[in-house]
Amino acid sequence: MNAAIPDLTHKVAVVTGATGGMGQAIASDLARAGAHVVTVARDPARADTLRASLGAQSEHRLDVIAGDLSRRADVVTVAEIVLARYDRIDILVNNAGAHFQDHRLSPDGIEMHIALDYLASYGLTTLLEAPLRRGRARVVNVASDTLNDTRQIKLPGQARHPATLDLADIHDLSDLNPPNGFVPFKAYARAKLMTVTAGYALARQLAADGVTINALHPGIVATGIIDDLVPPLLRPLRTLIRHTLLTPAEGARSTTRLATSPDLTGITGRYFIRDTEANTPPISHNAVVQERLLALSRDHFAN
């Protein structure tokens, strides 16, 4: 267990992407600190590893809900189940995400990075708004600093290439990340930028009831996503590269700190790189863009 986590007895924590990698470490740490942890798993059998890692003393604190968070209907169903079972949520960690090496569409016709890396977190945060407000919850969106620089190979002297988000001619979220000119790394970064951008606006909306919403880049963690993000020229060196990266347990620490540390009480609408507050592209702070993104996202879940 991460010793820095305070006692979470009687707290309810919802953690997505908790069946492997960093998400499993986050869920394990929260459960061992006393929280009742609710996870969402596309394949509930994969949660058996998480349950076993908790041991007999903590496994009763785990509630696994089946759902594919890239599907709008499943996001809604998962939220309905959580609402039926829990009156209050104290922590929501939106950790689910993936990088896709080719252009794929969700069953709803949304490019998969947008569907899973953005809409899952937006959907759960807004659909669970009532119990989050009652719990004066901390919401943590696990992002990626690719949103600040979409270069896969960073050479000295080159300027950063931040992710872009132009919604001027976008009438539906299915218009984003189209197949024409599709670049997987940039599509992934754009989805993470969307998560941060919407998070800033939602943080303002929920602040009056004590809900905080922050995002972070937990560091470069040795997970399956990192294997996909390694440029083709460097893939023969993936094993060596992984040895230089943070372990999932190390990556989890900054996330659980943001979700639980008394030192961060009341802090909202911020972005962190591990434990240090950082900036995001100017477009993410543009109120017009934020409101347009929220409108498009509401329309997606209203259909």
Side-chain angles (χ1 to χ4, degrees):
M1 187 186 93
N2 183 347
I5 300 178
D7 182 9
L8 299 178
T9 303
H10 306 307
K11 302 290 187 182
V12 174
V14 178
V15 182
T16 66
T19 56
M22 195 178 78
Q24 182 172 312
I26 294 168
S28 295
D29 282 350
L30 295 176
R32 288 172 181 153
H36 185 87
V37 177
V38 183
T39 67
V40 184
R42 186 174 53 190
D43 178 6
R46 291 190 61 197
D48 290 344
T49 302
L50 172 58
R51 197 182 305 278
S53 73
L54 294 176
Q57 291 184 328
S58 301
E59 65 175 349
H60 66 282
R61 300 193 190 108
L62 183 65
D63 182 5
V64 180
I65 299 174
D68 179 351
L69 293 179
S70 71
R71 302 170 61 98
R72 175 175 52 209
D74 281 22
V75 173
V76 173
T77 298
V78 165
E80 290 173 345
I81 293 171
V82 173
L83 288 168
R85 294 180 184 176
Y86 303 97
D87 179 68
R88 187 195 79 250
I89 297 171
D90 302 276
I91 296 168
L92 170 60
V93 179
N94 288 308
N95 172 69
H99 176 266
F100 302 93
Q101 295 185 344
D102 52 5
H103 189 273
R104 304 183 196 180
L105 296 179
S106 75
D108 307 302
I110 305 294
E111 192 275 322
M112 280 293 287
H113 290 102
I114 305 295
L116 183 58
D117 292 296
Y118 167 61
L119 280 170
S121 61
Y122 167 85
L124 286 182
T125 301
T126 54
L127 293 170
L128 297 177
E129 180 179 327
L132 290 172
R133 286 184 185 272
R134 285 191 286 269
R136 299 178 67 85
R138 290 194 190 186
V139 179
V140 178
N141 293 322
V142 177
S144 165
D145 208 49
T146 55
L147 60 85
N148 274 316
D149 193 350
T150 60
R151 294 175 300 155
Q152 285 186 276
I153 299 177
K154 299 171 176 56
L155 299 177
Q158 285 187 339
R160 285 184 166 195
H161 295 170
T164 59
L165 183 60
D166 184 356
L167 301 179
D169 296 317
I170 299 297
H171 303 290
D172 187 277
L173 290 178
S174 61
D175 297 332
L176 284 171
N177 288 352
N180 186 31
F182 181 76
V183 179
F185 194 70
K186 291 183 178 180
Y188 171 78
R190 179 172 294 114
K192 294 300 187 181
L193 176 63
M194 292 168 68
T195 297
V196 172
T197 302
Y200 290 149
L202 292 174
R204 292 194 301 273
Q205 292 180 11
L206 300 181
D209 284 323
V211 177
T212 64
I213 301 178
N214 295 291
L216 90 158
H217 169 60
I220 304 179
V221 182
T223 65
I225 288 180
I226 289 300
D227 286 340
D228 286 342
L229 292 178
V230 172
L233 289 175
L234 299 180
R235 283 178 188 160
L237 303 175
R238 276 188 295 193
T239 300
L240 291 175
I241 291 171
R242 286 177 72 91
H243 285 309
T244 69
L245 307 181
L246 298 175
T247 66
E250 289 170 333
R253 288 191 188 113
S254 56
T255 308
T256 54
R257 174 180 175 271
L258 194 52
T260 66
S261 173
D263 294 340
L264 294 168
T265 300
I267 299 299
T268 192
R270 311 287 180 84
Y271 172 72
F272 295 82
I273 296 178
R274 301 197 71 187
D275 296 334
T276 303
E277 189 174 343
N279 296 320
T280 55
I283 193 71
S284 65
H285 298 284
N286 185 307
V288 174
V289 173
Q290 291 174 358
E291 291 307 315
R292 179 61 181 154
L293 178 57
L294 292 188
L296 289 166
S297 305
R298 285 193 297 268
D299 289 346
H300 173 76
F301 282 98
N303 291 334

